[in-house]
Amino acid sequence: HAVSAVPLRSTPLEPAQRRRGTRPRGMFSRFAAIARAARTAARPALVRDPAPGSAPNAGFAAMGVASGALLGLAGVAHADEAEHGLHSAAYPWPHEGMFDSYDHASIRRGHQVYQQVCAACHSLNLVAYRNLVGVCYTEDEVKAMAEEIEVTDGPDDTGEMFDRPGKLSDRLPAPYANEEGARYANNGAYPPDLSLITKARHDGQNYVFSLLLGYREPPAGVSVREGLHYNPYFPGGAIAMPKMLVDDGVEYDDGTPATETQMAKDVTTFLAWAAEPEADDRKLMGAKFMFALSLVAVQAVYYKRWMWSPLKARRLVVNAVH
């Protein structure tokens, strides 16, 4: 029997395949084989046995590249830490919750730390004596405190300025008359005002607390010029303010042991209140608003069901006339 040779040719696409854009089975198989070959060629040399005397495996080279990249990232992180300061830890402040209020005993102790330690260099220009009434002192205590200072007032009937005892409406006194005097007294460094310090710094309360406790000796290879002090939490690592808090540096009125950590916690709480003295009132107002809104929501749901229940429960009867 004679067998005639039939030339090979690709199977023509059916009309349905042309419409759907599908390929015939034979063409798909060839593409799959090409893809498998490409994956096999791209497989790392680590999975194949190297020939004797060949170069090091590509896998070890990849590991070296990855190690170099990690070291580079570590260097970038170290440079960022040196520029912006060490990131502070997150501490559980008792007044941070939605329904939590300030510890007013801690505010009073923090004010004592500010008066006896911080007020020698830092001002608190946005806080008046009257703001302390009912928060950490009685009105008589604050009046006696304000009368200890002399305030320049006037002019009087003769056009002259005069000094008078302080009163509740006066703000806490600043240690320096102007910025130039502050820089001259601190070797060119300007002590910032602390009224909004916990708002002006990233992660404010944690930053202030960590900064106060972060003084230490500089590590090997780090030099700090004369007049500065090493503190990794301060941007740049060198700060002009020396370590101010030491154990028993303040004698608390309530007898609380004045450890370094306790003083840092109390003054940070006081500065947080100074930056946001209305926080407790705002939280209380929010709680009242949420309670009133819940009552309105209950009434709205009841009114909706009362209005729509006759319409949803009715039955329609069609009386068709044939």
Side-chain angles (χ1 to χ4, degrees):
H1 300 279
V3 179
S4 59
V6 180
L8 296 177
R9 61 188 180 188
S10 59
T11 305
L13 292 175
E14 297 295 333
Q17 292 176 333
R18 292 194 188 99
R19 289 194 301 269
R20 293 193 300 268
T22 58
R23 296 184 178 90
R25 195 172 193 81
M27 188 180 298
F28 180 81
S29 300
R30 288 195 294 273
F31 287 154
I34 294 173
R36 285 195 297 271
R39 286 196 300 269
T40 303
R43 188 176 302 170
L46 188 61
V47 301
R48 296 195 293 266
D49 295 333
S54 62
N57 289 333
F60 290 107
M63 292 172 60
V65 172
S67 301
L70 291 177
L71 291 176
L73 291 176
V76 171
H78 179 74
D80 182 75
E81 174 184 320
E83 180 180 359
H84 301 287
L86 185 65
H87 186 71
S88 306
Y91 297 100
W93 297 100
H95 54 268
E96 283 293 296
M98 183 181 299
F99 299 105
D100 295 329
S101 62
Y102 286 116
D103 182 358
H104 292 263
S106 181
I107 293 177
R108 181 177 180 128
R109 294 193 298 267
H111 178 256
Q112 293 177 349
V113 176
Y114 168 77
Q115 274 193 315
Q116 301 181 32
V117 179
C118 309
C121 298
H122 295 275
S123 59
L124 208 62
N125 293 329
L126 300 182
V127 178
Y129 283 102
R130 64 171 178 262
N131 300 131
L132 302 175
V133 177
V135 176
C136 51
Y137 296 98
T138 64
E139 183 175 352
D140 293 336
E141 289 176 326
V142 178
K143 283 183 177 180
M145 192 184 306
E147 290 174 356
E148 295 176 358
I149 66 172
E150 292 288 333
V151 178
T152 301
D153 203 349
D156 57 10
D157 296 338
T158 62
E160 299 293 334
M161 305 297 291
F162 61 93
D163 293 335
R164 60 167 178 80
K167 53 186 179 180
L168 293 180
S169 59
D170 294 326
R171 299 187 183 275
L172 299 184
Y176 306 104
N178 48 55
E179 180 178 345
E180 288 73 16
R183 291 188 182 277
Y184 179 78
N186 292 276
N187 297 323
Y190 179 58
D193 180 80
L194 300 181
S195 302
L196 300 174
I197 194 67
T198 58
K199 295 295 184 183
R201 298 296 185 268
H202 173 69
D203 200 14
Q205 298 179 67
N206 295 324
Y207 166 77
V208 173
F209 181 78
S210 301
L211 183 71
L212 293 174
L213 300 178
Y215 289 90
R216 62 198 66 180
E217 293 296 326
V222 176
S223 60
V224 179
R225 68 180 176 87
E226 185 180 359
L228 299 181
H229 309 271
Y230 179 73
N231 193 319
Y233 295 98
F234 187 76
I239 184 173
M241 182 179 72
K243 179 180 174 65
M244 300 300 298
L245 299 182
V246 294
D247 291 341
D248 298 326
V250 174
E251 185 177 353
Y252 285 138
D253 294 340
D254 58 1
T256 301
T259 62
E260 181 181 350
T261 305
Q262 183 67 47
M263 289 187 291
K265 181 256 184 185
D266 291 335
V267 75
T268 302
T269 302
F270 170 72
L271 294 177
W273 167 83
E276 210 171 8
E278 77 286 350
D280 286 352
D281 295 334
R282 190 174 64 247
K283 290 180 181 180
L284 182 60
M285 182 175 60
K288 293 179 180 179
F289 178 79
M290 291 173 61
F291 176 74
L293 191 62
S294 63
L295 295 181
V296 172
V298 170
Q299 293 178 1
V301 171
Y302 177 79
Y303 182 74
K304 180 259 182 186
R305 292 178 63 87
W306 177 75
M307 283 292 296
W308 285 91
S309 59
L311 299 178
K312 290 185 176 182
R314 67 180 178 176
R315 185 175 67 174
L316 298 178
V317 178
V318 179
N319 187 11
V321 180
H322 298 286

